[in-house]
Amino acid sequence: MYWLGPFQYSSKQELLDGLKVFVATAPVGMVSHKIAIQKLHLLIALHPDAERKIGSGIDHFKVQRNVLGAGQGLWLVRSDGTEESFSYKRCITGVRQSSYGKVCEALRFSVRSQLIAYRETLTLPAICAISGEEIVHRSNLHIDHKVPFWRLLQAFSEIHGIDLSVLDTVGSGEGLALVDQEISKAFETFHLTHAELQPSSKTANILKGGKCIRSLRHVG
């Protein structure tokens, strides 16, 4: 699992593949889609030379055709008007998951019992809420959030006035948890009240994840 801020991917490679498609197919010019801008801010913060790249602050991002060679590239335009290209690969490859990503993963683990409990209430065959196909085997039954998990995290942090990026975690793997258990318990209550769970097939879940990455293409 890999997290770019609150956005979840099955691996770094899945995110890299999605970014490759985005850069290759996005319209040339300023990126204006709010979610795409949010992801690009999170991305550039991971760059090994982030401080120098960001400089006086980022005014906006843009997609520009490469002067040398074929294809397109990502550029940032600073608040002072200067601009510079950056490689999304350098932002991702070899970089450990951010502390923010660990917090998001820890909160997802904190509500795992709710997903399991919901799964146990379902009888087969069940209908996949994404594709409409019939699910006949437990091994093909996944539990999906109707409202994306990252949106729940965003709403929780805004309502409670909590900056997730400054929280600490302890443990690793499935034992990953927030140090502040009061916040973790508060999110469990929030998730129980606000999350809309639905059955989905394994294939539909994977395809949905791919569409989430490709949402970066909806710009301009």
Side-chain angles (χ1 to χ4, degrees):
M1 200 67 67
Y2 184 79
W3 294 76
L4 178 65
F7 302 100
Q8 179 187 355
Y9 302 94
S10 63
S11 64
K12 287 183 180 181
Q13 190 58 52
E14 184 184 11
L15 175 55
L16 284 168
D17 290 344
L19 286 164
K20 181 179 180 180
V21 172
F22 166 63
V23 173
T25 61
V28 171
M30 185 174 73
V31 178
S32 59
H33 190 277
K34 289 184 179 180
I35 295 177
I37 293 169
Q38 184 181 357
K39 290 182 179 182
L40 290 174
H41 274 290
L42 292 167
L43 189 67
I44 191 61
L46 297 175
H47 196 285
D49 199 18
E51 187 175 353
R52 184 189 65 79
K53 290 278 187 183
I54 295 171
S56 61
I58 297 173
D59 182 79
H60 64 273
F61 295 95
K62 66 178 183 178
V63 175
Q64 184 170 304
R65 295 196 183 282
N66 295 326
V67 176
L68 299 176
Q72 302 181 152
L74 288 171
W75 286 69
L76 59 83
V77 180
R78 303 185 184 93
S79 55
D80 62 5
T82 58
E83 55 186 55
E84 188 168 348
S85 64
F86 66 97
S87 167
Y88 67 83
K89 291 181 180 179
R90 289 204 69 195
C91 296
I92 299 299
T93 307
V95 177
R96 292 187 300 172
Q97 180 161 274
S98 67
S99 57
Y100 186 17
K102 286 186 176 181
V103 168
C104 296
E105 187 168 5
L107 288 174
R108 190 175 186 94
F109 282 138
S110 75
V111 298
R112 180 174 47 184
S113 61
Q114 295 180 27
L115 274 66
I116 293 174
Y118 175 78
R119 190 176 191 270
E120 292 303 312
T121 67
L122 299 174
T123 56
L124 298 181
I127 301 300
C128 173
I130 301 173
S131 66
E133 68 178 293
E134 194 174 76
I135 304 169
V136 295
H137 299 293
R138 283 273 165 186
S139 60
N140 192 35
L141 176 61
H142 286 229
I143 304 304
D144 177 56
H145 285 83
K146 186 174 182 179
V147 176
F149 188 73
W150 71 268
R151 287 194 182 277
L152 292 172
L153 288 173
Q154 188 176 57
F156 171 75
S157 62
E158 290 175 354
I159 291 171
H160 291 272
I162 298 171
D163 184 352
L164 299 181
S165 66
V166 301
L167 300 180
D168 294 319
T169 58
V170 64
S172 60
E174 294 189 359
L176 188 67
L178 290 190
V179 170
D180 192 330
Q181 281 295 294
E182 287 189 12
I183 293 178
S184 184
K185 293 296 182 184
F187 180 70
E188 289 176 36
T189 300
F190 179 87
H191 185 272
L192 187 62
T193 305
H194 294 86
E196 295 182 66
L197 303 178
Q198 57 188 15
S200 68
S201 69
K202 180 178 180 180
T203 302
N205 235 335
I206 293 172
L207 290 174
K208 181 181 178 182
K211 288 179 181 177
C212 287
I213 295 176
R214 292 192 294 274
S215 69
L216 272 171
R217 288 188 288 178
H218 300 304
V219 297

